[in-house]
Amino acid sequence: MNILILGSGGREHAFAVKLHQSPLCDTLYIAPGNGGTHTVATNVAISPTDFPALKAFVLERQIAIVVVGPEDPLVQGVYDFFTADPALARVQVIGPSQQGATLEGSKEFAKEFMVRHHIPTAKYASFTKDTVEEGCAFLSTMKAPYVLKADGLAAGKGVVILDNLTEAQAELRRMLINEKFGKASTKVVIEEFLNGIELSCFVLTDGVDYKILPTAKDYKRIGEGDTGLNTGGMGAVSPVPFADEAFMQKIEERIVKPTIVGLHKEGIVYKGFVFIGLIKVDGEPYVIEYNVRMGDPETEAVLPRIESDLIPLFQSLYNATLASQELKVTPQSATTVVMVSGGYPEDYQKGKEITGTEKAVGSTVYHAGTALKDGKLLTAGGRVLAITSLGDDFKEALQRSYDNISKIQFEGAYWRKDIGKDL
Ligand code: AMP
Ligand code: GLY
């Protein structure tokens, strides 16, 4: 069968490598892809949110499965667009309906969902322009640090954590009155601060049953020792050593099951990935956020550990037979280290030549922000490459990733040297 992946990052490259290995995959396309994806798929110059153009392409190339990488097309309703169109009835979109995608598209919706289903999460209240003064008063009843979250999608920048009350109140006004994050911050969720260690749990669901995929830990800050600005993610380790069986049991019983049952009970159509951002506080799991897609760079550490073919798993979502499928995972550890452009996550330059990727041995070099121009590989984004390795433990895997990184060059390249050090 022919498959189309939507997206252009390291996550999508990892999906492309994995799907390309399947004997069930005939032709693999990726829209738009990047400077590395062409080795396993055909890059197609269509934006993942241009639904009419996607429709025309899917019909022309007889695509059977569309794997949606990023959240934007899902929040904009790509699933509903495809399922509502009789011409596309046979095409399977891997991802939730627009209503399901609201779990990521609106923090308030996600919080209300968790409250309805008794899923552990930080206490919260939400405010709008009209209730900004109540919001400021609410902040003064809370203890520092103060967690302010723009309700809508803000490209990963919508969460602000501040230590000082006056600053937090000023930030709340900036978000609500000055629309700091545009439409995304017409509503703001204020949350209790949870102090603990974070991890990501990934679930594949057909809307009734689910499979828990390997866990991963992401390193979000730009600086070593988890300092500096937030990024899309600077590296990942899978599995997460502190997520032992007893803790995973708590996650499954208190969070995964009520999430899937809650979606089903509420009639929310969901056939895709749920990415649950968790925090472990005094041994107990709490939900920080839901995402309705896989994580990036977590996918680059999670997929290489999955031994099962993804295509039968995807096909089983359609008729809700996921329960009859097997998910085989290697006990090996996987790590990924992200090389970024100097300056990222603030301003950075593009178009720098990348050399040495072919010298990496024993690791997979996933491309994120790269482009091919006149036969040269150039940087084209903040996060440029994700270097993934397997090993008997995460330290061995990390050593491989770091050994190979030292063979790859581009001007201004930066990466964190401390991935996994906290574990
Ligand atoms: P989010 O965009 O929701 O993933 O939030 C970004 C980051 O903010 C998370 O990865 C956490 O590190 C942090 N964060 C969000 N909510 C909380 C909270 N209630 N307590 C502590 N840290 C939080
Ligand atoms: N790495 C975090 C995310 O994909 O949202």
Side-chain angles (χ1 to χ4, degrees), residues 105-107 127 149-155 157-158 175-176 179-189:
S106 164
K107 303 261 188 214
F127 300 92
K149 298 187 171 183
D151 179 59
L153 290 186
K157 300 200 172 82
M175 286 167 94
L176 288 174
E179 295 179 3
K180 177 173 171 184
F181 297 106
K183 262 176 45 190
S185 64
T186 50
K187 222 180 252 168
V188 171
V189 170

Side-chain angles (χ1 to χ4, degrees), residues 198-202 213-218 220 240 248 275-278 289 295 298 302:
E198 288 178 58
L199 72 154
S200 306
C201 170
F202 300 95
L213 308 180
T215 55
K217 187 174 190 309
D218 174 22
K220 285 208 172 83
V240 180
M248 289 309 295
F275 160 178
I276 312 177
L278 296 167
E289 63 168 346
E298 293 96 321
V302 167

Side-chain angles (χ1 to χ4, degrees), residues 11 218 220 232-233 275 291 293-298:
R11 167 183 51 210
D218 174 22
K220 285 208 172 83
F275 160 178
N291 294 301
R293 49 170 176 89
M294 286 296 287
D296 192 351
E298 293 96 321

Side-chain angles (χ1 to χ4, degrees), residues 351-366:
K352 304 292 180 194
E353 188 173 357
I354 305 165
T355 57
T357 53
E358 74 291 347
K359 294 189 198 140
V361 181
S363 296
T364 306
V365 178
Y366 293 116

Side-chain angles (χ1 to χ4, degrees), residues 270-333:
Y270 204 119
K271 293 172 184 291
F273 294 100
V274 194
F275 160 178
I276 312 177
L278 296 167
I279 189 161
K280 183 179 182 182
V281 184
D282 298 329
E284 309 302 326
Y286 291 82
V287 178
I288 290 273
E289 63 168 346
Y290 285 112
N291 294 301
V292 297
R293 49 170 176 89
M294 286 296 287
D296 192 351
E298 293 96 321
T299 304
E300 293 95 299
V302 167
L303 290 188
R305 295 191 57 226
I306 297 182
E307 292 174 333
S308 309
D309 188 341
L310 286 183
I311 296 179
L313 285 162
F314 285 167
Q315 286 176 309
S316 77
L317 303 185
Y318 197 62
N319 47 8
T321 54
L322 180 63
S324 65
Q325 293 292 319
E326 193 198 13
L327 177 76
K328 251 189 105 190
V329 174
T330 172
Q332 285 204 303
S333 288

Side-chain angles (χ1 to χ4, degrees), residues 107 147 149 159 161 191-194 198 220 288-289:
K107 303 261 188 214
V147 182
K149 298 187 171 183
V159 176
I161 301 179
E191 256 183 40
E192 162 200 24
F193 180 83
L194 297 176
E198 288 178 58
K220 285 208 172 83
I288 290 273
E289 63 168 346

